[in-house]
Amino acid sequence: MAQKPIRIRDVAKRAGVSTATVSRALSNPELLTEATRETVFGAIRSTGYRVNRAARNLRTRQAGAILVLVPNLGNPFFSQILAGISEVFGESDLSVLIADTKDHATAGKRVVDYFLDSQIDGMICLDGALSDEEIRQFEENGVNGRIVFACEWKHGSSQPSVRSDNGQGARLAVRHLYELGHRKIAHVTGPQENVLTHVRREGMLAERAELGLPMRDEWIIRGDFSLESGRAAAEKILSMEDRPTAIFCASDQVAFGLISTLKTRGVEVPGDISVVGFDDIELSEFYVPALTTIRQDRHALGTRAARLLLECIHAGDAIDNKHSEPVMIDVKLVVRQSAASILQETGIQA
């Protein structure tokens, strides 16, 4: 004899709430308290209830999915952001689609077409390199209110954004090296066109100016957030007559490539040169030496962006004024073993 299908009223009975509360948990979970959400989703799991997404999407005229644009899925930095996004949407009625924009992976299909073809209800963009033409298409087709930038953002864009306090992070890194006695501090940047590169560079320069640190043009070395750019930066530093005693890298990956190359060439870190990174990806704690770095709360970047997008979707296409200012996530200096006090007995002049 066929088992009767589990219905929403069965879930409500198991959870001890109304059917309206169960529906709200499935469609607008952020409107419920955390305790109520946990009770309802616990009842859903225990009863085996499954949402008929196709029927619901037809009734609500929703696609039932959101798109996340990632500039490079191979970069471990994005893992915790995606985990945060998935966590929030795992409690909603929306699935998460992911597209890698590296090497123009979305070419041949305009991003705006995902909206116009009713494939998605909203988008979280981790890539600040969207073209002006794509931004114009968003505006012309009225989908601005369903796009949230996270981590990176587009200058001049009206879309809401969630970002780390990158400028403050750069200042913390330089200040830490200064307090260790370093005065000759180099900086390896990110890619020239990247918005994070500029904000971190500006923070680094502002802290230098405040501390009265000396500056040489050759001490600012262009990179691209990659291991290879760290290796190339190390080669440039090794060729300098007036070497810096400390280096602030715009990403942990750059720091890894730099430290590895320095050590291969007989330069000890932190014995000869101190290094500070940015991001605090998982490997930073286990690298040798363990990397002193600036921690971005990547999980919070993901969860805050996801909740903000849900709010925008439920509010309609109009962007509320309260979303005009970016949501800022605090950063933190994590002190480990890759940066140390300068050794006066070496004869290096601070």
Side-chain angles (χ1 to χ4, degrees), residues 147-292:
I147 299 170
V148 170
F149 277 94
C151 184
E152 297 184 14
W153 63 96
K154 178 77 174 177
H155 275 310
S157 171
S158 59
Q159 277 83 21
S161 67
V162 179
R163 59 186 81 164
S164 295
D165 194 341
N166 291 276
Q168 177 63 13
R171 298 188 73 130
L172 288 172
V174 174
R175 173 74 64 167
H176 178 63
L177 291 170
Y178 176 86
E179 290 175 347
L180 290 174
H182 296 279
R183 300 296 181 265
K184 297 179 179 181
I185 302 172
H187 176 51
V188 185
T189 76
Q192 184 65 21
E193 70 282 357
N194 189 280
V195 66
L196 302 177
T197 298
H198 295 288
V199 176
R200 292 173 191 174
R201 184 176 184 274
E202 288 169 4
M204 178 272 301
L205 291 173
E207 191 66 17
R208 275 183 181 276
E210 186 170 312
L211 297 172
L213 290 173
M215 186 65 201
R216 296 174 62 93
D217 289 343
E218 64 179 351
W219 289 350
I220 298 183
I221 303 168
R222 183 177 297 184
D224 62 8
F225 295 150
S226 71
L227 292 165
E228 174 58 28
S229 69
R231 184 203 64 76
E235 295 292 349
K236 289 184 178 180
I237 289 166
L238 290 168
S239 69
M240 294 178 185
E241 290 186 10
D242 186 13
R243 288 183 187 173
T245 65
I247 306 163
F248 163 46
C249 298
S251 81
D252 290 349
Q253 294 253 82
V254 170
F256 298 152
L258 182 134
I259 293 171
S260 175
T261 304
L262 289 178
K263 292 175 70 174
T264 299
R265 298 287 295 276
V267 177
E268 291 300 316
V269 176
D272 299 315
I273 294 180
S274 287
V275 178
V276 174
F278 201 113
D279 291 335
D280 196 30
I281 62 176
E282 284 76 5
L283 182 58
S284 300
E285 182 180 0
F286 302 98
Y287 198 75
V288 179
L291 186 65
T292 293

Side-chain angles (χ1 to χ4, degrees), residues 27-34 37-38 66 81 83-92 94 96 123-124 145-150 160-162 297-315 322-323 327 329:
S27 58
N28 296 59
E30 72 282 359
L31 298 180
L32 301 178
T33 65
E34 183 177 353
R37 284 200 306 268
E38 290 179 355
I66 64 103
I81 299 179
I85 292 171
S86 297
E87 178 181 301
V88 172
F89 283 105
E91 297 181 355
S92 78
L94 294 168
V96 177
M123 182 175 78
I124 295 175
R146 289 177 284 154
I147 299 170
V148 170
F149 277 94
S161 67
V162 179
D297 191 338
R298 294 174 290 140
H299 189 268
L301 282 169
T303 57
R304 293 290 293 276
R307 290 182 182 129
L308 181 55
L309 180 57
L310 277 173
E311 185 179 339
C312 291
I313 291 172
H314 295 143
K322 67 182 178 181
H323 296 150
V327 176
I329 306 294

Side-chain angles (χ1 to χ4, degrees), residues 5-62:
I6 302 298
R7 301 186 183 278
I8 197 168
R9 62 173 174 265
D10 300 315
V11 176
K13 183 177 180 180
R14 178 70 62 88
V17 298
S18 66
T19 55
T21 298
V22 176
S23 295
R24 192 172 296 113
L26 292 169
S27 58
N28 296 59
E30 72 282 359
L31 298 180
L32 301 178
T33 65
E34 183 177 353
T36 301
R37 284 200 306 268
E38 290 179 355
T39 298
V40 172
F41 284 106
I44 289 173
R45 288 189 293 270
S46 65
T47 59
Y49 176 72
R50 296 182 63 84
V51 179
N52 187 334
R53 295 182 184 273
R56 169 167 291 188
N57 294 343
L58 285 172
R59 291 196 307 271
T60 62
R61 297 183 181 275
Q62 289 184 338

